């Protein structure tokens, strides 16, 4: 798998955020690492396989979220009662995969951290390291997340391995990444 276009897209988003929020010269690495750890926890929570106390240990693979059309903002009203862009008469709900979305959030922060640590010297061809269980994979990722300055590439390869273990194809991951990247750009424009 080649990560070049993901690093490029993330660099563009990071630049947009830094400019929009006035963060030039600010050391963002501590925030990025904590955000990655939070997203890793949210991903594990959506996976649910560690919840031995629950009868519901199946991953959250399907959900719905409200989306607002950029033209009608969910009103559906362009004078005809139906928006010609979203073909809606009101709010629209989009199906999504919560586990994949949380995984992709981890990927976003992992890419940002790599850009912060390595700037132009980014490796773009990585494979996936795998442990024997998904629980061990998460624990390994949490371990490496505490020392990303020295173990970034190991972390990244275990993250790729986690995606494989969760059953995601690289095509699914890439598509979800770019959808979330676009959403993140919109959030910056709308004052997220």
């Amino acid at each position: 798998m080649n990560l070049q276009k993901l690093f490029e897209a993330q660099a563009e988003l990071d630049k947009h955020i830094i400019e929009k929020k006035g963060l030039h010269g600010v050391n963002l690495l501590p925030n990025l690492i904590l955000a990655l750890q939070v997203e890793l926890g949210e991903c594990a929570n959506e996976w649910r396989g560690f919840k031995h106390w629950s009868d519901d240990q199946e991953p959250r693979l399907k959900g719905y979220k409200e989306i607002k059309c950029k033209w009608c903002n969910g009103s559906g009203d362009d004078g005809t009662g139906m928006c010609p862009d979203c073909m809606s008469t009101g709010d629209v709900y989009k199906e999504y995969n919560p586990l994949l979305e949380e995984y992709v959030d981890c990927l976003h922060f992992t890419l940002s951290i790599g850009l912060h640590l390595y700037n132009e010297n980014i490796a773009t061809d990585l494979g996936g390291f795998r442990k024997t269980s998904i629980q061990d994979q998460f624990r390994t990722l949490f371990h490496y997340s505490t020392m990303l300055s020295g173990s970034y590439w190991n972390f990244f390869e275990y993250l790729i391995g986690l995606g494989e273990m969760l059953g995601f194809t690289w095509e699914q991951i890439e598509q979800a990444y770019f959808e979330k990247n676009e959403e993140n750009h919109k959030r910056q424009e709308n004052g997220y």
Side-chain angles (χ1 to χ4, degrees), residues 50-107:
F50 67 94
K51 297 184 177 192
H52 64 270
W53 56 88
S54 175
D55 292 335
D56 183 9
Q57 295 180 7
E58 293 301 313
R60 300 283 192 242
L61 302 176
K62 190 174 184 179
Y64 297 91
K65 60 182 168 182
E66 183 179 17
I67 59 171
K68 301 268 187 194
C69 172
K70 65 183 176 185
W71 303 110
C72 73
N73 196 30
S75 71
D77 191 7
D78 70 339
T80 64
M82 180 176 283
C83 175
D85 187 58
C86 70
M87 302 306 288
S88 170
T89 56
D91 295 337
V92 177
Y93 291 87
K94 176 183 175 188
E95 186 176 316
Y96 77 109
N97 182 329
L99 179 60
L100 178 57
E101 189 165 299
E102 294 301 340
Y103 175 82
V104 165
D105 286 344
C106 294
L107 180 58

Side-chain angles (χ1 to χ4, degrees), residues 144-160:
Y144 279 122
S145 75
T146 64
M147 51 186 176
L148 282 168
S149 294
S151 61
Y152 175 79
W153 298 113
N154 284 339
F155 178 90
F156 207 146
E157 292 195 286
Y158 278 110
L159 183 66
I160 291 168

Side-chain angles (χ1 to χ4, degrees), residues 27-143:
N27 179 10
L28 300 174
L29 188 59
N31 289 351
L32 293 171
I33 291 172
L34 181 57
L36 172 61
Q37 291 169 331
V38 168
E39 293 299 341
L40 195 56
E42 290 179 6
C43 185
N45 197 47
E46 291 294 342
W47 170 64
R48 302 187 60 78
F50 67 94
K51 297 184 177 192
H52 64 270
W53 56 88
S54 175
D55 292 335
D56 183 9
Q57 295 180 7
E58 293 301 313
R60 300 283 192 242
L61 302 176
K62 190 174 184 179
Y64 297 91
K65 60 182 168 182
E66 183 179 17
I67 59 171
K68 301 268 187 194
C69 172
K70 65 183 176 185
W71 303 110
C72 73
N73 196 30
S75 71
D77 191 7
D78 70 339
T80 64
M82 180 176 283
C83 175
D85 187 58
C86 70
M87 302 306 288
S88 170
T89 56
D91 295 337
V92 177
Y93 291 87
K94 176 183 175 188
E95 186 176 316
Y96 77 109
N97 182 329
L99 179 60
L100 178 57
E101 189 165 299
E102 294 301 340
Y103 175 82
V104 165
D105 286 344
C106 294
L107 180 58
H108 271 273
F109 286 110
T110 302
L111 292 165
S112 284
I113 291 166
L115 289 164
H116 185 84
L117 291 173
Y118 298 102
N119 199 10
E120 299 297 322
N121 300 317
I122 299 290
T124 57
D125 191 21
L126 300 174
F129 292 164
R130 292 184 182 194
K131 292 290 188 177
T132 56
S133 71
I134 294 176
Q135 289 93 334
D136 285 343
Q137 197 79 4
F138 274 112
R139 281 192 293 276
T140 299
L141 284 163
F142 276 111
H143 170 74

